[in-house]
Amino acid sequence: MTRCRPLPLLLLGLALPLTACQDREARAEVARLEARVTDLEARVEALRAAAPLLAEATATVQRAAAAHCEADFSRTLELARQERGSYPAEAALTVPGSCQGFRVTWARLTPQGYAFRVLDGSGQTLASGAEE
């Protein structure tokens, strides 16, 4: 004859509320994680949408800096011409600090005139200066 053991049933009765509590906590944690993932996905989409604007803003700043370089370099050349009566030779020129990060190439540099281009790192012309 087998005997019923009430102790395991009692433990099982106590474990059921614990399981239900753990299940509620797990569901709450999953809900928090889903909300966090949704928030992160929205942020990623916002960054993706802003990327073209950032690229355009960077290009605009680069063009403005190149224009500043061109103006400084043209001013340097004009001051040299006023002092000497002619434009200096390339070896006698110092490129202004505003041109740092750009490459300046000469199309023409004579005692009577000059023409130069300000290029970015990829060789694209961003600004140019000339005087006849």
Side-chain angles (χ1 to χ4, degrees):
M1 176 175 206
T2 51
R3 219 171 147 198
C4 260
R5 295 187 178 176
L7 187 58
L9 289 176
L10 178 63
L11 289 177
L12 182 61
L14 290 174
L16 284 176
L18 288 176
T19 304
C21 181
Q22 288 175 343
D23 194 36
R24 247 189 332 265
E25 289 173 3
R27 281 193 301 270
E29 182 63 20
V30 167
R32 281 191 297 272
L33 290 173
E34 286 175 344
R36 178 81 174 133
V37 167
T38 300
D39 179 56
L40 290 172
E41 287 173 341
R43 289 180 185 199
V44 167
E45 278 306 309
L47 289 172
R48 281 189 184 135
L53 295 175
L54 179 60
E56 185 169 330
T58 300
T60 300
V61 168
Q62 181 100 358
R63 285 190 304 273
H68 182 64
C69 164
E70 179 274 323
D72 277 355
F73 203 27
S74 291
R75 189 174 17 255
T76 299
L77 289 164
E78 288 305 318
L79 289 172
R81 184 192 59 78
Q82 289 173 4
E83 289 175 5
R84 296 184 179 110
S86 64
Y87 294 107
E90 185 176 348
L93 287 171
T94 301
V95 177
S98 60
C99 293
Q100 188 173 17
F102 296 108
R103 194 172 78 219
V104 177
T105 61
W106 293 99
R108 180 175 46 81
L109 178 58
T110 67
Q112 297 79 31
Y114 65 86
F116 66 89
R117 296 181 310 147
V118 179
L119 310 174
D120 66 7
S122 68
Q124 180 182 0
T125 300
L126 299 176
S128 59
E131 185 62 41
E132 298 299 321

